[in-house]
């Protein structure tokens, strides 16, 4: 894979020529996304207020429409960049497990709202790789998001497996399975074409312009790979498969469950298969008679809890919305809980805690899952640098709901001055502001010797925007509209000083 995909830019006397079309795309990306992000963010705030049934339904419809429009804008801009030959790859080591887990967790709320299960797994022989993480995430999110959209019942599973290649350059297959209606053979090429659909009515029924899979195909080809769809081999539904070769990165993740037997009980084949795959990837083995058993809450009768297997140590599998049941399961004798979609590290910790708990009250507890027990950030001092009043209101409201003390600045100059007169735990910095923009302000802050973590706020998802913020001395970035879960995760990461490190 080349460091950068083909570009129509030329260089004269060693300086890159500014392409007007490229500049136009960057400008339109910001100008179109900014008001849409404001609309979505404010509707999200509205939905957290006291509304009657009709008002809540109106707000939800408005939010869905705005998110559909934002998705269409993103697809159009990405497609235009691909057509113009402006696609760039920013190559860096990628944690494959973290990438796939992040996509699954991001889509889990949407899937669970539809009554679907969503699960993921990465085979034990899949290494970390060198790739453009943002582009790879875009492909997976599009494929898995489509699977959630077109699946009425059942679930979606994201998996990664070896498909050949060498140790240094393995061929990997990113697989998305669903239990939806499948894709007829005659439509399997058409859906990857521009404005292509399985059925002409799909655009109206599923709010799709038909560009998402066309972008996926072009991105896959730019990676030197391919994407295809077929029938799911072990049941009804579709299987989308992205195959590409990547440079491997050697990382030893260990085998914490080496020699440990685990049983899995779930009525959903995707949940059961993903849990088994994660146990095996952590070095364990699946045995239906094992002393430690993972029990899916989906086995419970309506309004009840799943009974604990007699004489065995059980860990219950819950959705985030089932957090109120944790105390009841503990009271019923369960050794712990895991949140779906499962995390491999959490699974290994819970299994080991359950297997070694004798007596239970003296066992070292595994960490609580941050999807169920959100962190609270009372007393955290935040400087919010945002010139857009709607964006500032949204970010300030979300930060204050997490307990943060928030001070605001509307320009880069104000931000630099604020950091000279006061100390903050964290700075949220808009990238584009009149006068001194975010990157310039970050450079000035770093030049003054201030190491306060700075997180960029950007409406753009272009790789060069991410790279620009890191090169300017910022530590991380968040894409607008701010999502409460993503914001909470950022606060957790950057207010824990032991974990401070720039995100590559």
């Amino acid at each position: 894979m080349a460091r950068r995909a083909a570009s129509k830019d030329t260089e004269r006397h060693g300086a890159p020529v500014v392409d007007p079309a490229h500049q136009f795309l960057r400008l339109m990306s910001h100008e179109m996304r900014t008001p849409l992000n404001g609309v979505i963010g404010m509707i999200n705030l509205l939905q957290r207020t006291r509304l009657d049934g009709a008002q809540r339904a109106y707000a939800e419809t408005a939010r869905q429409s705005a998110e559909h429009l934002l998705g269409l804008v993103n697809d159009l801009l990405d497609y235009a960049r691909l057509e113009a030959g402006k696609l760039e790859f920013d190559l860096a080591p990628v944690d494959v497990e973290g990438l796939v887990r992040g996509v699954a967790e991001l889509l889990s709320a949407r899937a669970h709202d539809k009554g679907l299960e969503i699960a993921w797994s990465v085979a034990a022989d899949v290494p970390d790789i060198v790739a453009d993480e943002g582009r790879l995430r875009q492909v997976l999110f599009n494929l898995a998001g489509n699977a959630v959209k077109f699946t009425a019942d059942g679930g979606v599973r994201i998996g990664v497996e070896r498909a050949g290649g060498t140790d240094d350059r393995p061929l990997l297959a990113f697989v998305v399975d669903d239990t939806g209606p499948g894709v007829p053979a005659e439509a399997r090429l058409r859906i990857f074409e521009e404005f292509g659909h399985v059925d002409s009515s799909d655009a109206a029924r599923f709010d799709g312009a038909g560009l998402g899979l066309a972008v996926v195909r072009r991105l896959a080809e730019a990676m030197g790979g391919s994407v295809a769809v077929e029938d799911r081999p072990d049941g009804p539904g579709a299987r989308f498969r992205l195959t590409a070769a990547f440079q491997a990165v050697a990382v030893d993740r260990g085998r914490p469950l080496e020699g440990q037997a685990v049983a899995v009980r779930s009525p959903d084949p995707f949940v059961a298969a993903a849990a088994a795959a994660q146990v095996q990837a952590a070095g364990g083995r699946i045995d239906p008679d094992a002393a430690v058993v993972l029990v899916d809450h989906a086995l419970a009768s309506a309004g009840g809890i799943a009974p604990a297997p007699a004489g065995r140590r059980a860990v219950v599998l819950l959705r985030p919305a089932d957090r109120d049941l944790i105390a009841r399961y503990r009271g019923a004798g369960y050794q712990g809980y895991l949140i779906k979609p499962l995390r491999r590290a959490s699974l290994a910790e819970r299994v080991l805690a359950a297997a070694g708990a004798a007596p239970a009250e003296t066992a070292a507890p595994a960490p609580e899952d941050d999807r169920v027990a959100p962190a609270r950030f009372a007393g955290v001092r935040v400087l919010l640098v945002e010139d857009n009043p709607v964006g500032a209101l949204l970010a300030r409201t979300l930060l204050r709901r997490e307990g943060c003390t928030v001070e605001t600045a509307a320009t880069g100059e104000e931000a630099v001055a604020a950091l000279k007169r006061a100390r903050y735990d964290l700075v949220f910095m808009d990238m584009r502001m009149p006068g001194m923009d975010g990157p310039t302000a970050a450079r000035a802050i770093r030049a003054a010797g201030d190491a306060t973590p700075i997180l960029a706020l950007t409406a753009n998802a272009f790789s060069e925007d991410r790279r620009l913020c890191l090169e300017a001395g910022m530590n991380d970035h968040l894409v607008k509209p701010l999502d409460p879960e993503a914001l909470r995760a950022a606060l957790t990461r950057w207010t824990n000083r032991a974990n401070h490190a720039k995100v590559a």
Side-chain angles (χ1 to χ4, degrees), residues 42-63:
M42 298 313 294
I43 291 174
N44 286 339
L45 287 183
L46 177 65
Q47 288 184 303
R48 289 176 171 83
T49 63
R50 188 171 298 172
L51 303 174
D52 63 32
Q55 291 169 333
R56 190 165 299 282
Y58 299 154
E60 176 63 16
T61 301
R63 183 190 63 79

Side-chain angles (χ1 to χ4, degrees), residues 328-469:
R328 291 181 62 189
Y329 272 104
R330 283 175 172 156
Y334 277 76
Q335 305 299 311
Y337 68 89
L338 286 164
I339 298 299
K340 299 184 286 184
L342 304 179
R343 297 175 177 178
R344 187 199 296 185
S346 298
L347 184 151
E349 290 169 349
R350 291 294 183 189
V351 167
L352 291 175
E361 58 269 18
T362 65
E368 296 294 320
D369 194 293
D370 60 12
R371 291 167 291 173
V372 171
R376 291 290 179 256
F377 304 96
V380 171
R381 287 175 51 81
V382 173
L383 176 64
L384 173 64
V385 190
E386 169 68 83
D387 68 307
N388 182 284
V390 175
L393 175 60
L394 172 62
R396 186 169 62 247
T397 302
L398 292 176
L399 286 165
R400 286 176 175 170
R401 285 184 176 179
E402 295 299 327
C404 299
T405 300
V406 184
E407 294 185 26
T408 59
T411 67
E413 292 89 349
E414 290 182 14
V416 174
L419 283 160
K420 287 180 178 178
R421 68 173 182 267
R423 303 300 299 170
Y424 301 92
D425 296 297
L426 201 58
V427 178
F428 288 89
M429 180 87 71
D430 188 29
M431 289 284 284
R432 293 176 181 264
M433 295 179 288
M436 181 184 285
D437 62 10
T440 305
R443 291 189 184 95
I445 293 166
R446 295 299 184 234
D450 194 319
T452 303
I454 303 175
L455 278 63
L457 301 177
T458 175
N460 294 343
F462 291 165
S463 60
E464 56 263 43
D465 294 293
R466 296 192 296 271
R467 188 169 62 249
L468 178 62
C469 79

Side-chain angles (χ1 to χ4, degrees), residues 162-172 245:
R162 289 284 291 268
T166 65
D167 288 342
D168 291 336
R169 193 168 178 80
L171 186 68
L172 299 186

